[in-house]
Each structure stands twice: as structure tokens, then as C-alpha cells.
Amino acid sequence: MPNNALVVNGGSYVNDKHSDINITTHGSDWYWAVTALMGASTIAFIALSLTKPRTRRIFHYITAAITMVATIAYFTMASNLGWTPIDVEFQRSNPKVSGVNREIFYVRYVDWVITTPLLLLDLLLTAGLPWPTILFTILLDEVMIITGLVGALVKSSYKWGFFAFGCAAFLAVAWNVTWTARLHAKRLGDDVSRVFLITGVWTIFLWFLYPIAWGVSEGGNVIAPDSEAAFYGVLDVLAKPVFGALLLWGHRNIDPARLGLHIRDYDDDPAITPGLHAGPHGEKSTDPTNGTGTQNPTV
């Protein structure tokens, strides 16, 4: 079946505005391929969650949410939607990037503003980091993404100021992941430290490449939108489905309670399940003495 998304959804026009530098059918085809991969990953992560009790699915759900949101974003870009034309700062002679304005996929940033905090949540919960540090790191991440979006929508050289703000925020995020969180993970055992080190280094390495992609695409108008699609698409596949597979494999024998995540299911509540009591270590028990040898008095 031919891909006619560009024809159906306006080609180089959006809201009666024209763009000179756009994706072609090749770029749209690539976006469809990534859409399928993200969708398949979501189904796989949810299916894997069903092999675990509900109290141990937190990382499966977070990881599936990442690829689910990415599926919708890539569907939008494959359909040639979710973009707006912005005048370029640098007009090039290369026919693939020549013209006055370029399509900017703002939906990409909508994706990132949701999924990158979830990625960090996967990592920082693995490390057992305190909640104040997690929340501040996520705030820095939001600053990084939003300044990238604002910079992409600015046509003057002021875009590089927003780029600098975003890079500064990213360096702070990288520090919290590679240093602060790493030290926390190390105290939780070799298995926790190993999965955090693998996924943390993987993520920060890939994230260092995103500013380069931004600089040659939305920023400098150096590469064509089809090449931009390939650059960002490969990074997103590695940073989301591949990351998720590495993380969940590493977590396969790790109880979330070891990370400070004490999650209770509905049937763990003695008020709901008659005869159920919390054992001395939080486990389910039908022993009315709670392991103390002395029965609780009836009131």
C-alpha cells in the first residue's frame, strides 16, 4: 500500500502556511517504521508485566508508558502532522536544505517532555535516590526539553541562547545520574549497581548526541528533514525500546522493596482481607501474633 500521508495531510502546507524544507515520502516511511517498533515494544513490555505480581510491575509500567507515548508521537510525524514552518537562520545552497523556512516537528518535544522524565524516573528509582533529588532532576530535564523547543521555534540567533540554557540543564542532569545516583545504587548491592550503571551510562551517552542532532537540524539547518528523521529516530529507538529491554532484564530478580519502593496491593490490606496481618518484614501473614508469639488484643 503506497504511503500517501504527505498528500492527504497537506504536503508542505499546514494551516495555510508553506514550508520550503520538508520530509519526503522516505522520511515518512522511516517514521512509520519507528512507530511500529515503538508500538511493538509497548505491547512486549506490558506482556512482560503480566508475568509479575502487581506490586512488582512499576518499572514495566513506566517503561511501557515511554514507548506508548513515543508511538503516538511517531504516528503523528509519519502522518506529516504536528509541525509548523519556521524561518531558518542559515539559508543553505544545498538543494535539500535550501529555502526560507523549515518544518519543525513540535510534537517531538511533546513526546520528550513526557518520556524523558519517565526515563529518569526509571533510572533514579533504580538507584533508590531520595524523592527531592528525583523531583529536582526531573525539573532540570523539563527545562532542557522546553528550552530546546523554544529555541527550535525561534528564527533569530537568539535560539542559541535557549540552546545554551538547555545544555546547562542537561549537564546538571548528567551529573545527578552519573555521580549522585551512581553512589546510591552502589550501596544497594552489586545487581542493582550493575543494572543502573549499564542503563545510566547508555542513557547519558545517547543524550549527549541529541544536542548535536538539534544543532544540525532545527538549529543550523545543515541536514535535510529526512536525515533529521533518521538521526532522531535511531537515537529514540536506542534510548527507549533498547533502554527498556536492558532495564527490565536487569530488574528481573530485583524486588522493588530493596529500592525503597514498598508497594501494597488491595489484598495486602488487613482491613480488606480478613485474617491477614503484616509480618515483621512487611510480608503477608495469617499469624495473628505477627510473629511475636503474643496475640493482639481484641478491641
Side-chain angles (χ1 to χ4, degrees):
M1 181 177 178
N3 180 0
N4 61 352
L6 274 65
V7 176
V8 173
N9 293 314
S12 59
Y13 285 86
V14 61
N15 298 328
D16 296 325
K17 294 182 179 180
H18 179 265
S19 174
D20 301 318
I21 309 167
N22 314 282
I23 61 168
T24 67
T25 302
H26 296 298
S28 178
D29 288 341
W30 166 247
Y31 280 138
W32 282 123
V34 178
T35 300
L37 184 55
M38 294 291 185
S41 299
T42 303
I43 294 170
F45 294 150
I46 292 175
L48 284 172
S49 76
L50 300 179
T51 67
K52 300 285 186 180
R54 283 188 294 268
T55 55
R56 298 184 63 170
R57 294 178 185 176
I58 182 169
F59 291 100
H60 293 78
Y61 287 159
I62 294 173
T63 306
I66 292 168
T67 51
M68 179 181 67
V69 172
T71 301
I72 299 169
Y74 272 91
F75 172 86
T76 306
M77 292 186 285
S79 302
N80 197 40
L81 299 171
W83 63 272
T84 189
I86 297 295
D87 289 356
V88 298
E89 180 186 1
F90 305 103
Q91 294 190 28
R92 308 291 183 182
S93 58
N94 184 337
K96 291 186 178 180
V97 289
S98 63
V100 175
N101 48 43
R102 178 186 180 109
E103 68 174 355
I104 301 297
F105 281 104
Y106 57 80
V107 72
R108 192 191 309 281
Y109 296 87
V110 176
D111 169 357
W112 290 342
V113 85
I114 298 172
T115 58
T116 56
L118 293 174
L119 279 161
L120 287 175
L121 199 59
D122 259 344
L123 283 172
L124 302 184
L125 288 179
T126 297
L129 218 56
W131 277 106
T133 307
I134 292 176
L135 292 175
F136 184 63
T137 305
I138 288 175
L139 172 65
L140 292 170
D141 173 74
E142 298 284 9
V143 170
M144 175 182 73
I145 301 302
I146 293 172
T147 52
L149 171 60
V150 175
L153 298 176
V154 170
K155 65 180 182 180
S156 70
S157 60
Y158 280 77
K159 68 169 59 196
W160 299 103
F162 291 102
F163 177 78
F165 284 129
C167 287
F170 166 61
L171 291 176
V173 170
W175 171 263
N176 280 346
V177 172
T178 59
W179 184 257
T180 308
R182 180 180 59 83
L183 295 179
H184 275 265
K186 191 175 182 180
R187 295 295 184 94
L188 296 176
D190 291 341
D191 52 349
V192 175
S193 180
R194 185 183 309 111
V195 65
F196 176 81
L197 191 62
I198 292 171
T199 54
V201 170
W202 179 262
T203 297
I204 296 303
F205 168 73
L206 292 173
W207 282 19
F208 263 107
L209 300 178
Y210 280 91
I212 298 174
W214 190 96
V216 297
S217 301
E218 298 101 320
N221 188 39
V222 176
I223 62 176
D226 283 353
S227 299
E228 171 190 333
F231 201 160
Y232 279 133
V234 169
L235 289 178
D236 278 351
V237 168
L238 295 175
K240 292 172 182 176
V242 175
F243 162 85
L246 292 172
L247 182 92
L248 295 182
W249 175 256
H251 270 279
R252 66 193 184 281
N253 295 319
I254 298 175
D255 187 342
R258 288 178 54 196
L259 312 176
L261 300 172
H262 300 284
I263 302 169
R264 189 172 67 184
D265 205 350
Y266 69 89
D267 58 354
D268 294 335
D269 190 343
I272 297 176
T273 306
L276 182 67
H277 302 272
H281 301 291
E283 71 276 9
K284 297 178 184 179
S285 173
T286 56
D287 179 5
T289 70
N290 287 340
T292 64
T294 302
Q295 185 168 349
N296 293 333
T298 302
V299 178

